[in-house]
Amino acid sequence: MLKGKRILLIVAGGIAAFKSLELIRRLRERGASVRCVLTAAGAKFVTPMSLQALSEDRVYSDMFSLTDESEMGHIQLSRDADLLVVAPATANILARMAAGLADDLAATVLLATDKPVLMAPAMNVRMWTHPATVANVETLKQRGIHFIGPNDGAMACNEYGPGRMSEPEEIVAAIESMLAPAERPPLEKPLAGKRAVVTSGPTREAIDPVRYISNHSSGKQGHAIASALAALGADVTLVSGPVAIADPPGVATVHVDSADQMLTACLAAGRIDIAVCAAAVADWKAARPAGSKIKKRAGMAPPSLELTANPDILATLSKRGPQRPALVVGFAAETENLVANAVDKRQRKGCDWIVANDVSPAIGTFGGERNTVHLISASGVEEWPTLAKGEVAMRLAGRIALHFGRPTKAEAAE
Ligand code: C5P
């Protein structure tokens, strides 16, 4: 329910604007009040009269209208709301918002607001996949703007692909998860229908056919996350480096050795909604691994090993443009300045969340059963108590379900 919640709905110019009428109806059914801002282009698709009739409030469109400003200034308009929703969010309004323009009432309200903002993009597939739009969406996400959709499907312009605005019911679910997460009924399998890839364990980088570079990662945390996501109903592919622990039941496990193989396996999983990169990927590999065993001969000086950088799987998945999973989670193992380094890593890698892991010797995370983590997202830093790795995994999976607007019983109880 959204009883008493105040939504400021910005309707921009797109064929999907007709769905905003249905959205207003659905929001009001749930007890929310809706006030509308209509852009000039939006008014080509829906009339102020229909918005006014459905919202039972006046519709705002002109920044310079004296009555608009005297009765309700643009600052007040956003202050009076609990949430701003832009539906449809066109390529144009995304670009104007990313650039910080204030050239009409809608853009000004978006620039002036201190409230959460949810965008429901709708546009031609080529406009959605254009690097300019991809960059604008990335910028807005980094600033903490929330997105729902677009969905795949046939479009008014006779093309097929991502670009259709999410359905009103989906937008309402996203709004509920932002404004009233605890009020939604908990679900047994909240991640049913979602596809996830989890990387886990170390990688092994060949020096020659018998020798390699690797690290001490046990894979316990990554495997536990794969299990936890599967327990909540997700379809999970676990891409595991060489580990001594068993494949988790109910999860499709792909075994790899090197970082290159791990990246290939992640990309081969196809379109995914969730990526959790918990693997301790070797930073470097041998530049030229020998095809046969490097022989040790009497009196021979030790050979030198030239290294080259491995691909960064987390950064690659985070920067995949339209193919990017809706939620990308990385890990940061730090021994000092845990939070500052992790916040910086989140920016650099372009992921949504970082689970920052205290691996200082006093905590002893590597190979151990417990983990002390902070969850870092656009909305801030959360400190979690020291927990067993399985509990960290369950809590993270619960958070992921909540992110998709589907709380678990534990999340709903909080
Ligand atoms: O850069 P650093 O190794 O500290 O970053 C850690 C995070 O990045 C982890 O989520 C790890 O799984 C991921 N990573 C990766 N590919 C690399 C290096 C790190 O996916 N080559």
Side-chain angles (χ1 to χ4, degrees):
M1 284 300 281
L2 291 167
K3 202 162 171 37
K5 300 292 182 196
R6 295 159 306 171
I7 313 288
L8 185 70
L9 174 66
I10 297 176
V11 180
I15 192 78
F18 75 92
K19 290 198 213 168
S20 307
L21 301 176
E22 180 69 13
L23 176 61
I24 298 172
R25 190 172 288 156
R26 296 267 168 262
L27 288 169
R28 297 205 60 208
E29 274 168 14
R30 284 166 173 80
S33 63
V34 183
R35 174 168 279 163
C36 298
V37 169
L38 182 63
T39 67
K44 306 273 187 215
F45 295 90
V46 289
T47 65
M49 190 71 88
S50 359
L51 295 178
Q52 187 174 322
L54 288 167
S55 66
E56 292 187 272
D57 198 347
R58 60 162 302 188
V59 174
Y60 296 82
S61 42
D62 187 356
M63 184 153 59
F64 299 106
S65 146
L66 282 179
T67 48
D68 282 8
E69 279 294 317
S70 59
E71 286 171 14
M72 174 69 67
H74 55 266
I75 306 284
Q76 197 59 31
L77 211 45
S78 70
R79 292 274 157 85
D80 273 1
D82 297 303
L83 174 72
L84 274 61
V85 178
V86 187
T90 56
N92 183 41
I93 201 149
L94 294 177
R96 289 193 289 140
M97 195 179 174
L101 294 186
D103 54 352
D104 69 359
L105 182 61
T108 307
V109 166
L110 288 167
L111 194 61
T113 192
D114 57 354
K115 296 295 161 53
V117 178
L118 175 68
M119 312 289 270
M123 66 196 73
N124 166 275
V125 55
R126 286 171 211 280
M127 292 169 80
W128 176 249
T129 54
H130 191 286
T133 305
V134 170
N136 289 333
V137 170
E138 190 49 38
T139 302
L140 294 173
K141 281 188 178 169
Q142 297 275 353
R143 290 185 198 146
I145 303 297
H146 299 256
F147 280 80
I148 167 107
N151 293 342
D152 276 358
M155 313 199 30
C157 47
N158 288 332
E159 289 192 75
Y160 189 92
R164 281 172 68 90
M165 187 168 91
S166 296
E167 296 305 318
E169 281 295 345
E170 294 175 283
I171 300 175
V172 169
I175 292 172
E176 281 182 327
S177 79
M178 290 174 74
L179 289 182
E183 292 167 17
R184 296 203 70 217
L187 298 168
E188 284 301 325
K189 299 280 181 199
L191 290 175
K194 298 283 175 203
R195 302 193 64 227
V197 162
V198 180
T199 70
S200 182
T203 64
R204 211 174 249 186
E205 311 298 335
I207 297 171
D208 67 18
V210 297
R211 303 180 178 97
Y212 56 79
I213 304 167
S214 192
N215 60 63
H216 287 299
S217 170
S218 65
K220 284 179 187 163
Q221 186 64 81
H223 280 51
I225 291 167
S227 289
L229 291 171
L232 296 189
D235 172 0
V236 183
T237 301
L238 172 65
V239 182
S240 173
V243 293
I245 55 177
D247 293 354
V251 164
T253 304
V254 180
H255 295 274
V256 297
D257 276 334
S258 66
D260 285 314
Q261 291 168 354
M262 189 171 269
L263 176 62
T264 304
C266 289
L267 298 178
R271 209 181 169 92
I272 52 174
D273 305 291
I274 303 155
V276 181
C277 293
V281 182
D283 291 313
W284 303 286
K285 61 184 169 187
R288 281 173 293 280
S292 52
K293 186 181 171 194
I294 303 168
K295 291 299 260 182
K296 182 179 65 174
R297 295 199 179 79
M300 167 184 157
S304 60
L305 186 60
E306 193 191 331
L307 299 178
T308 183
N310 258 328
D312 191 314
I313 298 164
L314 175 61
T316 307
L317 294 177
S318 298
K319 295 174 184 167
R320 275 196 92 195
Q323 289 252 59
R324 183 191 195 277
L327 184 67
V328 183
V329 183
F331 273 71
E334 304 285 349
T335 51
E336 54 203 16
N337 298 332
L338 178 76
V339 171
N341 286 338
V343 166
D344 178 58
K345 189 162 294 179
R346 182 180 161 274
Q347 292 278 348
R348 252 186 306 115
K349 304 255 186 175
C351 58
D352 302 296
W353 299 352
I354 285 271
V355 180
N357 214 346
D358 189 342
V359 292
S360 52
I363 301 282
T365 298
F366 275 123
E369 298 302 329
R370 295 173 80 73
N371 226 343
T372 308
V373 308
H374 289 66
L375 181 66
I376 288 151
S377 67
S379 42
V381 179
E382 252 179 56
E383 192 176 339
W384 289 5
T386 299
L387 296 166
K389 288 181 176 175
E391 288 167 338
V392 169
M394 282 310 293
R395 204 164 163 143
L396 182 65
R399 278 310 158 88
I400 291 174
L402 189 61
H403 174 81
F404 286 100
R406 304 165 171 189
T408 55
K409 287 200 174 99
E411 290 291 342
E414 266 192 20

